[in-house]
Amino acid sequence: MFVQGWFACLAIPLLVYTFPAGAQELVRAPGWLAVLPNDSQPVIPEIRAKGSEWFVDAARGDDFASGTRKQPWKTLGKLKRAGLSSGDVVRLMCGGVWREALDMDSRAFPAGLTIAAEEDCGAGQAPSIRGSDLVNANWLGDETQAGVSVVDRFAAVDGLFYKGNRAMPARFPDYAGPGREFLLADGLKSSRSFRLRDKERRAVGERELVGATVYLRVVPWQVEKAVVRQYDASTGVVTLDKDLSTQILNGAGYILEGKRWMLNAPGEWWHDPQAKRLYFMTPDGKRPKAGEVEVVVRDHAVRINNASQLRVVGLDLRQTSQTALDVHDVNDVAFDGLSIADPGEYGVVIYRSGRVALRGSRIERSGWHAVLTREAPDTLVSGNVILDHGLIARAGGSAGAIAVKGERTVVSNNLVQRAANTGIHFFNLDGTQITRNRVIQPCIRLTDCGGIQTWTGDSPSLATKKQVTRSIIKDNVILGGAGNLEGSSGRGRYQSNGIYFDSMTGGVQAVNNVIAGMENGFYIHNAQFNTVTGNIIRSVTHASITAHMSIPGADAVRGNRVKGNRLFSRPASAGGDEVFAFKWQQPNDPNNLFAGGDANEVQDNEILRVGSGQTRWYVGENHTARSISEGDWRKFAKLDREQVIPVAAPTSRKFGKESPSVLPEGDFKSGKQGWQAYFNPSGQGGSLTADACSGVPCLRFVAGHSSDSLSSKPFRLDSEPGRNNYVLRFTIKMGTKGGGVRVAVRRDGPPFDAFGLDQPSMNMDAGQVMRVELPFQATNSEPAKLFFSIEPGVEGYFSNASITRVDAPAATPVTEARSLFIVNLSKGARSINCADTLLSDCAALDERGRDVKWPLNLFAGQGEAIFPRKSGGE
């Protein structure tokens, strides 16, 4: 399989950006392995002056000199007074560091001017403009805390770097990386207050919290910021200075910053603005020397306002509190080969500007956005490398790495690797093109996000009314994983999406993209008249295509066409972790999605099905949710066809040490006494009886209504991060009819919210027996119950149920969805050995059902999904 069209050479004005053919690296994640070009230095084009050349040298320059190479100027401020002319080139000397901002406008910087690095700067020697100042004062040891150094006379500090590496503000809890960074709150049905849990309340004790900054994950995709206004140490209740956008739920993640007592971990700093004193605990335990610490004091490095026909080439911009490159009200401006690192909020902002190009640059460790454009038509963002966006240990949230808004915007040939949130986000304005990008590992810190995501708005009035083409997503490669649910209050499951048509998106053409390893390949959310064609989806863990209509009373998912794609499906197995080819969610009658005018169309897709069973389709939501049979889904999916890969079902997962079960009466020996059935009065035929299943006690449960349920006695889970890993096991046998079975761990009482497990319906055949094994993370320690539900009229026999706390798995699984997608995204051919894959057994089938012969030789742009022959191939 070739990644279609992706390696077509990209020609843009002046430059073509490529990576060295021989520079390759292997990147692995569960479900995929990719050959990528090694991170390259920015590509610096040759610059020739049409006018004069001027030189600036931070080390040996003099602002009273002539500005020649032999007698360079010293400061950037000199350029405002230099009388520069159109066609001139100003060169900043290699290795220079300027601790001042460069502000450019049309009054002092004429059209046709270029600011560029000196020729042939070596790696790490690009001229650097920084938003930080050196601390040259002597550091002293703190008199009250060992390992802490102090220095005076700092009125403001927005960030700190030690030996070039970012330190982090003192916080509670100490930073431990994505997935282990939040404490969990107890909700109080309020958007302004929450309660510390007992362990945290004891840890805080009588220490001061009022005035601390608090960051709360109130929704799965966003972290909000507030200040503690009141704190009751006796109850642990925290009151904020404002209402947040939504209610703070149980299990919401939070981080506290800003108090001296929080300074207790290597690499942390704290600033006392009243005393103008800076405290720092170095990561190496040594007292800093003069010049080893840089403190961030400026909000930008370069700002261009009200100018035209300027060009900035080859500069290094770093360590700003806000924006490294801030561009407002300009036209016909180009930025080439920049190196941007550690901007507190934005790498590049382009606002109210036209015909701006950002090309061949590298942006690392940005905060809120790496690249943001607004009201910026005809912008080109091309050939850039963006790394570790939003992953700078910031307590606050992050948005898309690249986020663009402007007619005829082109985002092409970029690499976005490791992003806290969305990789590329755009508004689907006319003429937008998102082409030939590689988005690798988005959604690392948050969820309900996409590798590539577009959003229009929440109002049904914005819905597209007819088939149009506004924007194109073509020839991109997106490789990722599950969204991060830590601190999301149990919400956001199955919301890591390859390509995400979000609220009211309409008129997008998604063509020839490759997606692997995400939870959903495509997610079509309240979106209309979009076309999904020729795409390849592999190794997803929930659904190849999900469509969700969530606005009450609005027919918001209409006219979408899903044609000619190569999708992935996997039947339910031990664990119930099936993968749907299609998941169509609509709260009323899902058949309406395929009926009437402007019905959604599904046609001519090829579904790669792994294992025995049938291609999985899921329709409905809440009480209408069900998996449907092949005969039913073929009514909607015209001419869809299957390719079957016959592999064995997996063995049980491998976990660490397990504790005794916390589920009461899970052996069913007391019959009905330990369990409670709810039967809706509107239903008929519901029953619960004790029985024996192959000599083992079981309960026979028959639902008479879609809301009927079987529930356990209450129990409690440990929701403390690191101790909240559980696995639910039970055996289910279907009676004379097949049907859907759902299971959830929920609150014991209204509002019955899920406490970490809410499994979609598992469709089973008549007489089928399944030993289900479902790992989950508990999000609450309040009384919980296990709930079973089943389709009306279907009898299910439940036995051998347990919920045990487990240590996290000792190793990350190599495969997801019982497959491994291998793709070569470099410029040269590559051979992949079985040892490269880390598979426990090399016996595998390829996409055509043939034995894989190692090594696997992949040309540039070629990808292949492989399937371990034996169970336990993870």
Side-chain angles (χ1 to χ4, degrees), residues 663-692:
L663 179 67
E665 311 288 349
D667 56 9
F668 297 97
K669 289 182 179 179
S670 60
K672 297 191 298 182
Q673 296 180 15
W675 293 78
Q676 180 180 2
Y678 167 78
F679 297 108
N680 190 305
S682 300
Q684 293 183 348
S687 64
L688 178 67
T689 55
D691 210 319

Side-chain angles (χ1 to χ4, degrees), residues 14 47-54 85-91 111-114 309 311:
L14 302 176
I47 301 297
R48 295 180 180 179
K50 296 180 180 179
S52 300
E53 280 197 306
W54 309 97
S85 300
S86 179
D88 287 357
V89 174
V90 177
R91 295 194 182 273
L113 180 71
T114 298
Q309 299 179 39
R311 194 171 179 198

Side-chain angles (χ1 to χ4, degrees), residues 836-872:
D836 295 326
T837 69
L838 304 183
L839 289 170
S840 59
D841 193 301
C842 296
L845 301 177
D846 64 16
E847 294 192 29
R848 290 157 293 282
R850 304 176 306 194
D851 288 329
V852 174
K853 295 183 179 180
W854 304 100
L856 191 64
N857 298 310
L858 298 177
F859 296 108
Q862 188 177 5
E864 181 79 60
I866 67 169
F867 307 88
R869 272 188 172 276
K870 299 180 180 179
S871 63

Side-chain angles (χ1 to χ4, degrees), residues 419-441:
N421 203 330
T422 294
I424 299 173
H425 186 282
F426 71 99
F427 289 78
N428 59 317
L429 302 182
D430 288 342
T432 303
Q433 298 181 48
I434 312 296
T435 62
R436 296 188 294 275
N437 301 283
R438 297 155 294 166
V439 180
I440 313 296
Q441 294 173 299

